[in-house]
Amino acid sequence: RLLFHILSPVRIVGRKNVPRGEPYLVAINHVSLYEAPFIAAFWPEQLEVMGAVDIWSRPGQNILARLWGGIPVHRGEYDRALFDKVLAALAAGYPLMIAPEGERSHKPGMRPAKPGIAYLAEQSGLVVIPAAIIGTTDDFWQKASKGKRPQLEIRIGIPVHLPPVQGKGEARRESRQHNANLVMRTIAGMLPEEYR
């Protein structure tokens, strides 16, 4: 937190929307590697954080991931053990942060959501808290280290109750994707146009 405050002015909007002391899913937009440490540092209560498994082998990032106790994710793979671990954390009462896009966009602008957020909401029965993050672009460190102090902001939205997933087979997959898209549209509505 101190490092972010030194590098940038920080603004958090919507803290009242966080249902403290109970499990929920936090869905974020994902531009760069700065979102996870930023939101983890400033969220009103401690979050479980999911991250790409390759972070655990990158110098610097691996230290943060291990110290925080993040949950490694193999991108693009269905990992039953991962989902069991995440659902167990939620069942134990811990809120969880997930980037539904599944990877960084590397520039302001959103990618389509993967269905994982909808699957977790379906299996856990929990609400999704949309969180729009502004200012954590790939060039954040270059700007901040030169004293430009770029504004950082988290906009926490009202809880989203996703509709029940319907059907079987392909219809069920489409229903999940619809819910994942709904989460991303909600986040997009909280972002400036260039971040959508």
Side-chain angles (χ1 to χ4, degrees):
R1 260 191 211 178
L2 178 61
L3 181 58
F4 277 116
H5 277 304
I6 290 168
L7 295 172
S8 297
V10 174
R11 184 169 182 243
I12 315 294
V13 179
R15 284 186 181 94
K16 67 182 185 304
N17 294 323
V18 175
R20 295 183 192 221
E22 60 185 80
Y24 50 85
L25 297 160
V26 178
I28 66 166
N29 57 306
H30 197 14
V31 176
S32 73
L33 57 86
Y34 302 108
E35 283 92 24
F38 175 51
I39 200 165
F42 288 96
W43 196 258
E45 57 186 353
Q46 186 160 339
L47 293 169
E48 294 290 321
V49 178
M50 297 173 71
V53 72
D54 55 332
I55 291 170
W56 273 255
S57 60
R58 289 186 191 153
Q61 293 179 45
N62 61 349
I63 295 168
L64 284 174
R66 286 190 175 95
L67 286 174
W68 193 264
I71 301 170
V73 176
H74 295 273
R75 284 190 187 128
E77 296 178 23
Y78 176 77
D79 185 341
R80 183 67 197 183
L82 166 71
F83 281 117
D84 288 344
K85 182 176 184 178
V86 169
L87 289 168
L90 292 167
Y94 296 99
L96 173 83
M97 184 190 77
I98 182 172
E101 295 160 276
E103 59 186 327
R104 294 170 282 172
S105 62
H106 294 288
K107 60 183 180 180
M110 300 173 78
R111 292 175 180 243
K114 309 283 190 214
I117 183 72
Y119 177 81
L120 290 173
E122 172 194 354
Q123 294 297 311
S124 67
L126 298 175
V127 298
V128 177
I129 310 296
I133 305 174
I134 301 163
T136 52
T137 52
D138 271 348
D139 61 352
F140 167 74
W141 177 250
Q142 287 80 12
K143 290 178 183 175
S145 62
K146 292 177 182 168
K148 294 183 180 176
R149 302 197 83 236
Q151 173 77 46
L152 295 176
E153 184 174 352
I154 302 172
R155 298 177 181 174
I156 303 170
I158 60 172
V160 175
H161 297 268
L162 294 175
V165 173
Q166 303 291 330
K168 294 182 180 179
E170 185 59 30
R172 193 167 194 81
R173 285 188 287 278
E174 286 177 9
S175 184
R176 278 193 191 124
Q177 188 61 54
H178 170 79
N179 281 354
N181 294 345
L182 176 61
V183 170
M184 294 308 284
R185 283 196 302 273
T186 304
I187 296 170
M190 299 161 56
L191 287 165
E193 189 172 345
E194 67 271 19
Y195 275 77
R196 294 180 196 160

